[in-house]
Amino acid sequence: MNIKSIITATIALFVSTACSGGTKQEKVMEKGKSIVVFFSHAGDNYAVGNIEVGNTKIVADYITELTGAEQFEIVTHKYDGMAYTPLIKLAQEEAKNGEMPEYEGDVDLTPYDTVFIGGPVWWGTYPQVMFTFFKKHANHLKGKTIIPFTTHEGSGLANCVEDVKEAFPDAYVQKGFSIYGHEVRTERAKVEKWIKGLGY
């Protein structure tokens, strides 16, 4: 075999290896049609006080503006008007008891290729109402790309990515993104950098 043939064979081997696929976490993201599914809590919030628009809602709006994604907000009125301290106590009890609060409306995820999933971090993961959504849509995200994100005041992503992987084992769950809740109104550039890194 001459040198030219060896080089050609080597290149073919590399191409074959690159195209052979990999684990769900190694899959190259195919963005396609996107939607942002999120829960956001307005009212009394840690570090930012009483706010009319929840921190996660602001990030969800940035994502929509930057990617053209549609939105579905997971809405429950269970926490309306609650001060921060009783709210976190209730959230702790819900997590401890595995409660599944109801939410309003729903969405058909069939048309979407990429699903951003976001919420605040309450007691180490997403609020329990989001798990109600996860359970209802457990079989609807097979083969789709999921991109988790959180707003927080020190927890980062906590267990959110792992919990999304557990809820949707047949989806391609990507590396998550987190931002401090007190930064969302002034640090849009951080969201832009993240979204740009995803290839949008």
Side-chain angles (χ1 to χ4, degrees), residues 2 38 49 51 102 109 115 153 168 173 179 192:
N2 60 33
F38 67 98
I51 52 177
E102 293 299 320
L109 296 175
V115 181
E153 290 301 338
F168 305 107
V173 180
I179 184 170
E192 291 178 346

Side-chain angles (χ1 to χ4, degrees), residues 1-18:
M1 183 179 288
N2 60 33
I3 295 296
K4 184 177 179 180
S5 298
I6 293 172
I7 293 173
T8 302
T10 303
I11 292 172
L13 176 62
F14 280 122
V15 170
S16 174
T17 302

Side-chain angles (χ1 to χ4, degrees), residues 31-194:
K31 296 180 289 294
K33 189 174 182 181
S34 304
I35 187 169
V36 188
V37 175
F38 67 98
F39 170 80
S40 189
H41 177 65
D44 195 11
N45 276 252
Y46 184 77
V48 293
N50 204 311
I51 52 177
E52 292 186 10
V53 180
N55 298 327
T56 308
K57 167 66 174 167
I58 292 172
V59 179
D61 288 345
Y62 290 158
I63 295 170
T64 292
E65 292 165 13
L66 295 165
T67 68
E70 297 176 17
Q71 286 190 2
F72 176 75
E73 183 173 2
I74 300 171
V75 174
T76 179
H77 294 291
K78 184 174 182 179
Y79 316 115
D80 287 358
M82 294 187 70
Y84 177 74
T85 299
L87 172 64
I88 60 170
K89 288 181 179 178
L90 175 59
Q92 184 181 31
E93 285 299 311
E94 287 181 344
K96 180 181 177 181
N97 298 328
E99 293 182 31
M100 294 285 186
E102 293 299 320
Y103 61 90
E104 296 184 354
D106 211 356
V107 62
D108 178 10
L109 296 175
T110 305
Y112 302 99
D113 304 290
T114 299
V115 181
F116 292 86
I117 293 180
V121 178
W122 290 1
W123 295 101
T125 190
Y126 288 126
Q128 285 299 116
V129 68
M130 295 185 67
F131 288 89
T132 310
F133 181 91
F134 295 168
K135 185 175 181 180
K136 189 168 184 178
H137 292 276
N139 299 317
H140 301 164
L141 295 180
K142 183 177 181 179
K144 297 182 185 293
T145 297
I146 299 179
I147 308 173
F149 66 97
T150 67
T151 55
H152 66 97
E153 290 301 338
S155 303
L157 286 161
N159 293 319
C160 294
V161 175
E162 290 74 16
D163 288 340
V164 169
K165 288 178 180 179
E166 184 175 345
F168 305 107
D170 296 318
Y172 298 100
V173 180
Q174 304 298 306
K175 181 179 179 181
F177 170 78
S178 65
I179 184 170
Y180 283 97
H182 68 265
E183 289 185 335
V184 299
R185 291 161 181 79
T186 58
E187 297 290 343
R188 176 188 164 111
K190 291 185 177 181
V191 181
E192 291 178 346
K193 181 179 179 180
W194 166 55

